[in-house]
Amino acid sequence: MAISKHGEFWKATKSPYSFERFQSDMERRMMVKLEADPHVKKWMKRHGISIRWIDRQKHQRRYLPDFIVEYEDGRKAVIEVKDPSRVDSDDAQRKRKAAEMWCRQRGMEYVVATIS
């Protein structure tokens, strides 16, 4: 299970913000990875995107993806950082299906990243 570690990432040179907030060490490590990736042009955590999904009890929910990324070749992606033990949960699968459809409608990719 992911260690809950909140904080601010101040080395965000590829983000439009001078810093980004993270809610887990996995998110912080993804920020480091995105900053170091020469193919990543821009990324942000504070993007304002909210994706609707339906839970098992048929309640409508909102899902806020972890990252929006733009690559040097023009591709755009929504990246969700997920603990490997939670990737196959019912809620994760429902959110993933909704996010994949949302991304497809916008010509974007949806990526689940399991950083250990």
Side-chain angles (χ1 to χ4, degrees):
M1 182 156 191
I3 297 172
S4 181
K5 179 180 176 182
H6 298 102
E8 294 174 347
F9 184 81
W10 285 90
K11 301 170 190 164
T13 62
K14 294 181 182 182
S15 168
Y17 303 104
S18 59
F19 71 93
E20 291 277 4
R21 289 187 172 89
F22 55 87
Q23 283 93 35
S24 71
D25 192 53
M26 287 176 32
E27 286 184 4
R28 183 195 61 78
R29 286 183 282 157
M30 177 55 79
M31 292 174 176
V32 170
K33 183 177 178 178
L34 292 170
E35 282 292 321
D37 187 334
H39 302 290
V40 171
K41 181 177 179 180
K42 301 181 214 173
W43 67 271
M44 72 174 93
K45 179 116 174 83
R46 293 185 273 167
H47 45 68
I49 292 172
S50 176
I51 299 172
R52 294 180 191 170
W53 66 285
I54 308 296
D55 68 16
R56 186 183 301 171
Q57 290 79 32
K58 308 274 190 253
H59 296 118
Q60 187 172 335
R61 305 277 184 184
R62 292 208 169 260
Y63 157 56
L64 306 174
D66 290 328
F67 298 96
I68 300 298
V69 178
E70 182 179 339
Y71 296 95
E72 289 291 339
D73 65 5
R75 290 178 299 124
K76 293 182 182 177
V78 169
I79 297 179
E80 180 66 18
V81 178
K82 192 64 82 183
D83 185 289
S85 68
R86 295 182 168 196
V87 170
D88 294 324
S89 73
D90 184 60
D91 281 351
Q93 291 299 314
R94 289 172 182 269
K95 289 177 190 177
R96 180 180 189 155
K97 185 176 179 180
E100 286 173 341
M101 184 181 346
W102 187 93
C103 287
R104 199 170 27 256
Q105 291 170 344
R106 290 157 179 82
M108 298 172 74
E109 299 173 51
Y110 181 73
V111 178
V112 176
T114 54
I115 299 176
S116 51

